Amino acid sequence: MSSAIQPHQIASLLTDWPDLRCLSLDCFDTLLWRDVREPRDLFHALPDTSLVQRVVAEARARQAVESRGHFNEVAIADIYRQLLPNADKAAIQAAIEAELAVEARHCFAFAPVADLMRQAKERGLRIVIVSDTYFDSAQLRRLIEMAAGSEIADLIDEVFCSSQFGKAKAQGLYGNVLRKLKLPPETILHLGDNAVADVGGVAPFGVNTVHLQQFTEACDQRLRLEATLDGMIHTSSSSTVAQALPHRAALALLEPQVEDAAERLGLTTLGPIFHGFDSWLEAEAAELEREHGGTVHWLFMMRDGHLARLVHAQARPDQPTHAIEISRFTATAASLRDDAALTRFLEADKNTPGDILARQMLVPEKEIDRLCTGRDPLTAREAVLAALKGGQMRKSVVRASRAYADRLVEHVRSTVNSAKGDTLMMVDLGYNGTVQNLVEPLLRERFQTHVAGRYLLMREIVRYGLDKSGYIGPDHHDAFTLDAMCSNVSVFEQLSTNPSGSVVDYEADGTPIRKANIIVSAQSEVRERVQQGCLRFQREAPAARTRADGAIEPQLWRQGAASALMRLMFLPMPEELAVIEAFEHDINLGTEQTSQLFDKDHSRQALRERGLFYMNASDRMYLPAELQGQGMATRLSLLAQRRFGLPLTFADSMDATIDLPVIFADQNNAVLETITASGTHDGHFMAAIPIGTGQFSLALNFGTLFEWLQIDSLTFYKVEDFLSNEPEYRRDRWDAQPLFENMVEEAKGLLRCETRDSFVMVPPPPVATGEPLLLACVFRPIVSRQDGVPATGAMQGSDTHIRAVPHEANA
């Protein structure tokens, strides 16, 4: 009898077979699990041996056995004799011991299976291990003891290994096992993760078999993507093994039990990230106490530190924590306490609109109205800066900042009962530690304490020399990797924050004054479910693992957290994006502005118009989410450019162009020119056609080239705007009003050219800016003209209108 179960169903497995006499278990990925996705990933940690060398040696050993007419099962000694052909017996044995040590360090018992073994012993069952492995029975038993502990190893009666019988389970190994056990097959239950080996190779002998389905399809894909990211962001010097996934056992056990997609997002992605972060914070607090003495006070910076505080409070409910409300706005407002500080602030700020800049400097609203009302943002900014040149306004700003700083200090004092010599440990998601930079001198002076910043992710732009550290930071990754991680932090912030409005001031007693919560309640409700999933991971994940030595775990969890975070940033799953598709991000600079977290329609159009590498330079909140559905190649191209800081531009992506005949006409003349259209994305081309200040009408002679084509968009831009990297909402644009001559629109945008003279007439735009304009025409060739030549490189034949662009022409 055969069946299949998921990991959380293992606990009740024996109740379905009351007449059993023996529990038979596969070893790897059933009893023993590894911290990595594939067994070969452990070879990354072998001393003096590369992963490639080890893999090739095993392949050669198996090939040698097959060449002698045997099955390809080998012993580990055979493998190392291939790897070290001139080594003596002692050297071979030392290499085997080194590999066993690596396996033991990175293996653990899957706790539900360990519990099943205890149940089996209570029922008087024999327990055997039947494994396809190059280890022999003594080596495997010793490995189980080293990895899972003697209590687990002592439950095992016998161990059978394919290397000693010369054949695997799929090749009949279980026949030999039955002869050794001398038990009726129907009294044995075999559990294993490999359907071919553990069911197909065992069930024909009459043994009851159960297939352990380790992961759901979604979980398996997510882990595969995280393993991919691990390979891109961790080098041999920054990791202990390749593709470390210490959370895979917990996800196998917990994920099938979670039906809500929002909770599942928190469990599977935020859970592993915050699990290791909280353990690291505990170690950092202990180190700060040893180094500085006194008490370490945990200050979780609201709002983004909210989830980190929930995780810590759940894990250590008896340890006091403090929710401190200091935003970037309040920290900046409290930092302008002298003229030099105000000057530094203004020198560092170049683009903030006038009214927002004035509010940051605590200018009264009446004065802001006088300076800014009726002016565009740039002119209003100039008016504010001009007013600051007068000494009176500067003095007013400094005076207001000093009073503001007093209120901020009172907020901290009323929240944290610190004493001289204590440490204030500021905990936040991080990135630059801007708030710490601004308030550290103030807090250190007023409280006579040490101030430390501990961040989940740290990428410090300016080196202030303060006590800062990141769970994921420059000690573990290069600058390009950290920059890539920080490029899409908005999604992580919105999932980690609390629903309160941002603090903008404090009462005299330190009570925070918050602006109204501008995020809709539905978003807050979804976020709370996500956070509950994260908390569930913290509660239940430890139940998945039984490990003899956990010394390596902090490093593994950091490596796994970085990969999980990077995957969320660059390769989000469709199910995850469905959870947050309506999310907005509040700017949090004393304004009520929000931005949609991602907009797939916008980026789809922009890709067709400008291509990926223009989009990479644009100001998008969560660009990888907008690229979901545009193919893995597109998303990996963005990831590679960000991760490695590649200097690729739009010109580098132009592997084909089309010469498009265009007639320029005004009231007096008509001139035929050839305009080069460049390939952008998904088979689309874009032609940027200059029209002066708008005096020309255009006739785009598509009929010469195509019988069928798709016109995606026809849009007028100012030339200056079109060439800029400004966000779309800052660029003026006007949709063209085309007229089709000898062309039939068979479906929206899908056009059939009836003759070679078919063309699109585009009148000038209905505006008079006095500035140079252009028409951006985005189209996709469908069918080339049959009496001409093909329209794309994918079609048959050659095309004189489409030409490959040589590399040197892209400069």
Side-chain angles (χ1 to χ4, degrees), residues 107 114 176 202 220 230 246 326 344 392 471 483 575 590 595 619 694 707 757 766:
C107 284
N176 300 78
V202 177
D220 189 53
D230 181 285
I326 305 177
R344 287 194 299 270
Q392 187 57 45
Y471 179 53
D483 193 57
E575 179 191 63
S595 297
D619 186 18
E707 292 185 0
D757 296 323

Side-chain angles (χ1 to χ4, degrees), residues 387-589:
L388 283 170
K389 291 180 179 178
Q392 187 57 45
M393 178 173 275
R394 295 182 75 90
K395 290 178 181 178
S396 296
V397 169
V398 170
R399 188 164 52 248
S401 178
R402 290 175 178 174
Y404 197 103
D406 290 340
R407 298 194 294 275
L408 185 152
V409 166
E410 195 58 38
H411 168 64
V412 177
R413 191 189 313 278
S414 64
T415 307
V416 184
N417 184 25
S418 65
K420 182 179 178 180
D422 286 351
T423 295
L424 302 179
M425 185 174 77
M426 305 171 70
V427 179
D428 201 355
L429 299 186
Y431 324 128
N432 294 313
T434 302
V435 168
Q436 183 184 356
N437 298 339
L438 295 169
V439 304
E440 195 270 353
L442 176 66
L443 299 182
R444 175 167 39 83
E445 174 190 340
R446 298 290 186 91
F447 294 102
Q448 298 184 49
T449 57
H450 179 70
V451 179
R454 295 297 180 263
Y455 304 102
L456 191 148
L457 173 61
M458 194 182 76
R459 177 207 58 176
E460 194 172 26
I461 300 299
V462 179
R463 296 164 60 184
Y464 280 82
L466 304 180
D467 185 351
K468 292 182 183 177
S469 187
Y471 179 53
I472 301 169
D475 292 340
H476 322 105
H477 300 281
D478 62 48
F480 287 130
T481 302
L482 294 175
D483 193 57
M485 287 184 180
C486 291
S487 63
N488 303 304
V489 295
S490 296
V491 59
F492 193 54
E493 291 172 338
Q494 281 303 318
L495 292 172
S496 304
T497 190
N498 66 13
S500 66
S502 180
V503 60
V504 293
D505 204 342
Y506 309 92
E507 303 285 1
D509 65 355
T511 301
I513 300 172
R514 306 180 187 94
K515 68 180 181 180
N517 183 8
I518 55 178
I519 297 297
V520 296
S521 59
Q523 178 168 328
S524 297
E525 188 272 333
V526 170
R527 178 173 53 221
E528 183 175 348
R529 284 156 44 209
V530 172
Q531 293 177 355
Q532 287 304 310
C534 177
L535 293 174
R536 180 172 181 176
F537 183 92
Q538 314 312 317
R539 290 192 305 271
E540 301 182 26
R545 301 152 70 89
T546 298
R547 192 164 209 150
D549 182 4
I552 197 70
E553 290 221 347
Q555 185 175 351
L556 291 171
W557 280 99
R558 175 186 280 117
Q559 189 174 338
S563 300
L565 180 62
M566 196 73 162
R567 186 204 58 76
L568 178 65
M569 297 288 192
F570 283 93
L571 298 175
M573 304 280 284
E575 179 191 63
E576 294 170 333
L577 296 182
V579 171
I580 61 174
E581 62 183 354
F583 270 33
E584 293 186 332
H585 182 72
D586 48 335
I587 305 301
N588 190 20
L589 286 174

